[in-house]
Amino acid sequence: AQSVSQHNHHVILSEAASLELGCNYSYGGTVNLFWYVQYPGQHLQLLLKYFSGDPLVKGIKGFEAEFIKSKFSFNLRKPSVQWSDTAEYFCASWRGTDSWGKLQFGAGTQVVVTP
Amino acid sequence: GAGVSQSPSNKVTEKGKDVELRCDPISGHTALYWYRQSLGQGLEFLIYFQGNSAPDKSGLPSDRFSAERTGGSVSTLTIQRTQQEDSAVYLCASSLVWVRGETQYFGPGTRLLVL
């Protein structure tokens, strides 16, 4: 069965530090990968997604992620975080085909950025 | 106009009672999804609708859970004879169409507490 695993449950870092959140998926078929973010008190929203083509995907707010097929990974990165990046981050993978499917989410990583 | 809305925002109920959770998707979105987020867990997929039809109900945790969608718009998730383990945040999402990789837009969730 497919699963999505996120390496860290909690990350604490200072402003201006670099951030990298790990995500691995186990499904071996066609892959669509997503990072969603939930800021405190707000809805889940899409940061970026990989569908096909360039494995380096750029998203909103300076985030990017790299799809490495050989490692089954889709790690999220940001070179310099801000206090406003404090949030919970979820990696997700589309499991299915063109005629059925669902998003499968990882357990999430809580990121706290200190001033 | 606005995003996905859900009601109630919070629900406290006694074990054994039935509850109904409502989701209003973004106008014009044909696909609708229900997820459950338990404390410390990721998002668990429950069910999705293409129009009024739910092709895959296998994600519903038990036969106490049911969902319907009428008029291709509003959806209700019903939990009968609630149990304490049903306590969670129930999230609804919608997307313009149901295709692989389509961005899902999430609502604020309904926080359910079963005493």
Side-chain angles (χ1 to χ4, degrees), chain A residues 30 32 43 49 51 98 100, chain B residues 45 98 100-101 103-104 106:
Chain A
T30 302
N32 299 119
H43 309 180
K49 65 180 180 181
F51 203 81
D98 286 336
W100 74 269
Chain B
F45 170 81
W98 188 92
R100 181 167 57 90
T103 297
Q104 297 181 17
F106 283 81

Side-chain angles (χ1 to χ4, degrees), chain A residues 1-71:
Chain A
Q2 180 195 28
S3 67
V4 178
S5 63
Q6 294 184 234
H7 303 166
N8 310 96
H9 293 296
H10 292 92
V11 172
I12 301 174
L13 63 168
S14 301
E15 277 192 316
S18 64
L19 173 69
E20 180 161 359
L21 303 181
C23 173
N24 285 94
Y25 64 96
S26 62
Y27 183 56
T30 302
V31 174
N32 299 119
L33 298 162
F34 306 77
W35 277 98
Y36 277 83
V37 62
Q38 188 168 27
Y39 297 103
Q42 295 188 27
H43 309 180
L44 263 172
Q45 59 183 283
L46 182 70
L47 262 184
L48 48 80
K49 65 180 180 181
Y50 171 77
F51 203 81
S52 64
D54 189 344
L56 184 62
V57 180
K58 294 192 183 298
I60 60 171
K61 304 188 181 186
F63 285 89
E64 64 179 30
E66 185 175 12
F67 169 56
I68 304 179
K69 188 175 181 179
S70 61
K71 295 184 179 180

Side-chain angles (χ1 to χ4, degrees), chain B residues 55-110:
Chain B
D56 181 8
K57 299 181 181 179
S58 63
L60 294 175
S62 75
D63 58 8
R64 297 186 294 104
F65 288 71
S66 63
E68 65 175 16
R69 188 180 187 195
T70 55
S73 181
V74 172
S75 176
T76 55
L77 177 70
T78 301
I79 310 173
Q80 295 178 310
R81 304 181 304 282
T82 52
Q83 304 293 312
Q84 288 181 334
E85 61 262 29
D86 299 334
S87 297
V89 177
Y90 289 82
L91 293 170
C92 176
S94 70
S95 62
L96 187 60
V97 293
W98 188 92
V99 294
R100 181 167 57 90
E102 185 77 4
T103 297
Q104 297 181 17
Y105 296 86
F106 283 81
T110 293

Side-chain angles (χ1 to χ4, degrees), chain B residues 4-45:
Chain B
V4 177
S5 61
Q6 294 184 244
S7 61
S9 52
N10 292 280
K11 177 71 176 179
V12 180
T13 190
E14 294 178 349
K15 178 181 171 181
K17 295 284 179 71
D18 297 351
V19 295
E20 271 193 4
L21 312 180
R22 176 187 169 106
C23 172
D24 277 279
I26 293 172
S27 178
H29 279 197
T30 62
L32 186 147
Y33 314 81
W34 283 99
Y35 295 87
R36 179 169 71 174
Q37 185 176 23
S38 303
L39 188 63
Q41 304 293 316
L43 276 74
E44 174 190 5
F45 170 81

